[in-house]
Amino acid sequence: HSKSLSEETPAYTAQIWVDGVYLCNVSNHGQGGCDCYSPAKGHAYNTCNEEVAALDARIKATMPPVDCSDIYSDGEKHEMEQSLELLCHTMLGDIEIEKDLKRALKSKFLFVKPGKTGIYQVKKIGPDDGEMVRRIKERHGCALTLNEMPLSDALAIYRGAA
């Protein structure tokens, strides 16, 4: 992912693997266009397009639609069909959220206050993390900081607040 090149869409390159097989490369120039697919080494362009189309059809047939109601203000439910491109962009977003959380955990204690929404933070100071965690829990009544949780649990909370 190249944030500096991302304008309308994320600029990135990645490999697509399906059932343990390297299918193709995917990229986006970040200027609002669709993703571009190119064959993996040793594969032909004509079969690459067919394989990408088959994968896209498989994704649409087996994955639930994506709720996008939050981008509309009419209060109605809006969904869009899942696709290979949407899935790639969602995975890229998930990777960026995980990086952001890991970066924050290095310099801050993140926690949720009981009965409140959002994630609160306190800058790490001094070498005694245990004492800081004890003070946070005492002052704010939280049971756990995100720093103490398994990464998957902390990500679920962090993702919900993002």
Side-chain angles (χ1 to χ4, degrees), residues 78-142:
H78 294 271
E79 294 181 331
M80 64 193 269
E81 200 172 41
Q82 184 63 267
S83 67
L84 176 58
E85 184 167 6
L86 183 58
L87 188 58
C88 287
H89 287 240
T90 300
M91 292 171 77
L92 179 62
D94 288 345
I95 290 167
E96 292 301 312
I97 290 170
E98 184 174 334
K99 279 190 208 174
D100 187 45
L101 173 60
K102 286 178 177 179
R103 192 176 314 113
L105 290 173
K106 288 180 182 179
S107 61
K108 303 170 189 163
F109 290 104
L110 305 176
F111 59 96
V112 179
K113 291 183 181 182
K116 304 274 185 175
T117 58
I119 295 176
Y120 296 81
Q121 62 185 17
V122 173
K123 185 176 179 181
K124 287 185 178 185
I125 51 173
D128 191 357
D129 287 355
E131 178 61 20
M132 283 287 295
V133 168
R134 186 190 65 72
R135 286 183 186 175
I136 292 168
K137 289 179 180 182
E138 186 178 281
R139 175 176 274 171
H140 300 286
C142 65

Side-chain angles (χ1 to χ4, degrees), residues 23 47-60 84:
L23 178 70
T47 58
C48 176
N49 292 337
E50 293 167 6
E51 291 169 333
V52 166
L55 177 59
D56 195 50
R58 179 177 161 189
I59 289 168
K60 288 175 181 174
L84 176 58

